[in-house]
Amino acid sequence: MDYRPEAVAALLRHLREKRGLSQEVLSGLSGMARPHLSMIERGERMPTLYTIWRIADALDMRPSELVALIEEEMEKN
């Protein structure tokens, strides 16, 4: 399976919006700069495992759950 930044970007944006969070709020909850999160959501930057961990925690989910959702999203196309 090839890594597709656009699939990760779309999924993270969807999860954030589904929870009614702005980029500013999610970046604060995850302890990262909003521009960094924005770049990930646009597919311009690849999140590290640590970043995935922090985002998952901020979204109140297990990192393994988030990774599984990312895998599902990438397998769709």
Side-chain angles (χ1 to χ4, degrees):
M1 171 183 350
D2 291 331
Y3 178 79
R4 295 186 17 246
E6 67 278 1
V8 175
L11 176 68
L12 292 179
R13 187 178 324 105
H14 170 75
L15 292 173
R16 176 181 58 77
E17 290 173 348
K18 183 178 172 183
R19 286 164 174 75
L21 301 173
S22 67
Q23 283 185 348
E24 191 71 32
V25 171
L26 183 58
S27 66
L29 291 171
S30 62
M32 67 174 49
R34 192 207 53 78
H36 184 182
L37 177 62
S38 177
M39 290 171 69
I40 293 170
E41 284 193 2
R42 292 192 313 266
E44 296 173 1
R45 185 164 244 175
M46 185 169 33
T48 64
L49 179 58
Y50 181 64
T51 301
I52 292 289
W53 191 284
R54 290 168 34 191
I55 291 171
D57 189 50
L59 293 171
D60 197 30
M61 53 192 319
R62 296 174 55 100
S64 58
E65 269 183 282
L66 182 53
V67 170
L69 289 172
I70 290 170
E71 287 178 335
E72 287 175 22
E73 188 66 28
M74 288 194 295
E75 289 173 352
K76 283 183 183 177
N77 296 321

